[in-house]
Amino acid sequence: MSVEQAPVQRADFDQVMVPNYSPAAFIPVRGEGSRVWDQSGRELIDFAGGIAVNALGHCHPALVKALTEQANTLWHVSNVFTNEPALRLAHKLVDATFADRAFFCNSGAESNEAAFKLARRVAHDRFGAEKHEIIATVNSFHGRTLFTVSVGGQPKYSDGFGPKITGISHVPYNDLEALKAQISDKTCAVVIEPIQGESGVVPADKAYLEGARKLCDEHNALLIFDEVQTGVGRTGSLYAYQHYGVTPDILTSAKSLGGGFPIGAMLTTSELAKHLAVGTHGTTYGGNPLGCAVACAVLDVINTPETLAGIKAKHERFKTRLEQIGQQYGLFTQVRGVGLLIGCVLSQAWVGKAKDVLNAAEKEGVMVLQAGPDVVRFAPSLVVEDADIDEGLDRFERAVAQLTKA
């Protein structure tokens, strides 16, 4: 019997995997739409979406078709060559955004790594080595590479790995005065998540993003929007910068872009892109035909008036019901977020117990997330059926009722 055919169970994780994750006790084995089945055949409704990744749910026909056709055509040629799906995807992204140029990679961390390197390279070329400082926000999250955890404003992810990359500072999120006090002519970039995802689903104030744009312009610094979690329709606009009406110089995208297939993108202008000349940056798998073909199909489904309007309507359906649940059972003090990135802020009695809510929900057959210990996060398929929303929230309410009764 081959390794691929050998039966495996959750206990195998603890024997053969590096213990940097603590996965759930069950193993999902099949998905369709917003439903998932585990090894025992139990069905769950998926409001987690692979952490805002499965933008069209599981096994969406358009994505299956795109991947299957490409898998039978061409898998990989390296960036010694270009390929048709990468060029088609770049055209779609450029046509739909402020950007003129795209760089493709494999993940959000790599997208941000490229953005930070580009920002420093632009400043170096235009103003000299002294202009290299990056300002990020407290509790931000930008990936797990050494550079991106250093820029991210959560020491728990960056401590213990030796000297950190220098020239990085952090200011409170949504605090324009703090940013104004920190920015200087040595600043090469300010990086902001339009909605802080991992630290609690905290939307930016419009005035904050407008002020950051103005400060960057005044100090010849670049404004980077990390849209790894908010991009590709998650907010009801294709990208959150369009929702806010504030345009960055560099934008990073991943997660939903591939609908479950690993792909990331950095988007920017021609004037900035020229600073990443041949040989200055690269990636082996970035822009591979498989990922790009799937991402093209994702955009074709999501970037339509009907789908984007549907996301906003589904937000209201979620919010109305979650607010009712929160008020009835005293579990939440606030339901916040934009589009289908929603966070329920736990009440004082439940602070620190988001994982308990997740576990209770799973027992009732619904998959949700946490965003820190105090917020329950929902990031479902952007085309989740209303019937699945209602059934999933029925299950979630049963979980909350059991939890609060206990």
Side-chain angles (χ1 to χ4, degrees):
M1 182 179 290
S2 70
V3 173
E4 288 75 18
Q5 294 171 326
V8 291
Q9 301 295 329
R10 168 62 181 82
D12 291 296
F13 181 95
D14 301 321
Q15 298 174 7
V16 297
M17 300 290 283
V18 172
N20 60 312
Y21 300 117
S22 179
F26 68 97
I27 299 180
V29 295
R30 183 170 68 87
E32 182 178 350
S34 291
R35 308 269 173 152
V36 170
W37 289 263
D38 70 7
Q39 287 179 314
S40 70
R42 182 177 62 134
E43 177 230 75
L44 301 97
I45 292 178
D46 184 4
F47 287 163
I51 312 185
V53 168
N54 299 329
L56 296 176
H58 298 272
C59 299
H60 189 283
L63 306 196
V64 173
K65 181 174 184 287
L67 182 59
T68 303
E69 289 180 357
Q70 191 59 49
N72 284 304
T73 306
L74 184 69
W75 283 35
H76 179 76
V77 291
S78 90
N79 286 299
V80 171
F81 310 94
T82 190
N83 65 79
E84 291 181 344
L87 298 177
R88 293 190 187 105
L89 179 58
H91 273 296
K92 288 180 186 292
L93 289 168
V94 164
D95 290 346
T97 68
F98 73 94
D100 308 310
R101 303 291 179 118
F103 168 82
F104 295 126
C105 50
N106 310 288
S107 67
E110 290 177 65
S111 303
N112 284 324
E113 186 91 12
F116 303 156
K117 287 180 69 175
L118 173 60
R120 281 192 165 176
R121 189 67 175 226
V122 169
H124 177 278
D125 292 350
R126 291 181 175 180
F127 303 102
E130 287 296 306
K131 191 175 178 66
H132 69 274
E133 295 177 1
I134 295 173
I135 301 175
T137 63
V138 175
N139 290 329
S140 59
F141 184 86
H142 302 295
R144 298 285 193 150
T145 67
L146 187 58
F147 199 171
T148 57
V149 293
S150 297
V151 174
Q154 301 188 59
K156 66 182 179 181
Y157 294 131
S158 56
D159 288 352
F161 296 101
K164 299 177 185 179
I165 294 175
T166 58
I168 299 164
S169 59
H170 299 90
V171 295
Y173 189 72
N174 261 337
D175 188 336
L176 190 59
E177 289 305 311
L179 178 58
K180 187 180 296 185
Q182 184 64 32
I183 198 168
S184 74
D185 289 338
K186 289 185 177 181
T187 304
C188 74
V190 174
V191 55
I192 299 173
E193 299 165 272
I195 302 172
Q196 280 196 330
E198 297 303 314
S199 65
V201 190
V202 183
D205 298 329
K206 188 172 189 288
Y208 172 64
L209 298 182
E210 290 172 341
R213 173 73 275 174
K214 186 171 183 290
L215 286 170
C216 285
D217 291 341
E218 290 172 356
H219 291 274
N220 290 313
L222 301 181
L223 181 60
I224 302 171
F225 280 175
D226 177 343
E227 292 228 35
V228 169
Q229 193 158 163
T230 56
V232 195
R234 181 59 53 186
T235 64
S237 299
L238 186 62
Y239 284 98
Y241 85 86
Q242 296 163 325
H243 167 79
Y244 282 101
V246 179
T247 302
D249 300 295
I250 304 171
L251 180 146
T252 59
S253 184
K255 285 190 178 286
S256 294
L257 182 60
F261 199 98
I263 187 170
M266 178 192 70
L267 306 178
T268 190
T269 64
S270 295
E271 190 62 27
L272 298 177
K274 69 183 181 183
H275 291 272
L276 284 187
V278 173
T280 55
H281 192 55
T283 167
T284 296
Y285 286 105
N288 74 84
L290 293 169
C292 291
V294 173
C296 282
V298 169
L299 287 172
D300 286 345
V301 175
I302 291 176
N303 194 26
T304 66
E306 295 77 18
T307 300
L308 294 174
I311 292 163
K312 295 173 182 176
K314 293 175 194 301
H315 168 89
E316 293 303 324
R317 197 178 194 93
F318 266 101
K319 186 177 181 182
T320 298
R321 182 72 183 281
L322 287 169
E323 286 179 339
Q324 290 173 350
I325 294 170
Q327 290 166 5
Q328 182 173 347
Y329 298 96
L331 194 71
F332 314 133
T333 59
Q334 182 185 9
V335 178
R336 65 192 180 199
V338 182
L340 290 176
L341 181 57
I342 298 169
C344 299
V345 184
L346 295 180
S347 61
Q348 188 61 41
W350 292 93
V351 164
K353 297 181 179 179
K355 189 64 179 290
D356 293 345
V357 180
L358 267 63
N359 292 337
E362 181 256 310
K363 289 178 182 176
E364 293 294 333
V366 60
M367 299 159 65
V368 298
L369 298 163
Q370 64 183 90
D374 305 329
V375 176
V376 178
R377 174 173 37 165
F378 294 76
S381 161
L382 303 181
V383 293
V384 56
E385 298 285 345
D386 287 349
D388 286 341
I389 296 175
D390 295 342
E391 172 62 23
L393 290 176
D394 284 346
R395 297 182 186 187
F396 184 70
E397 181 171 356
R398 289 199 293 271
V400 171
Q402 286 294 320
L403 195 63
T404 54
K405 181 175 69 175

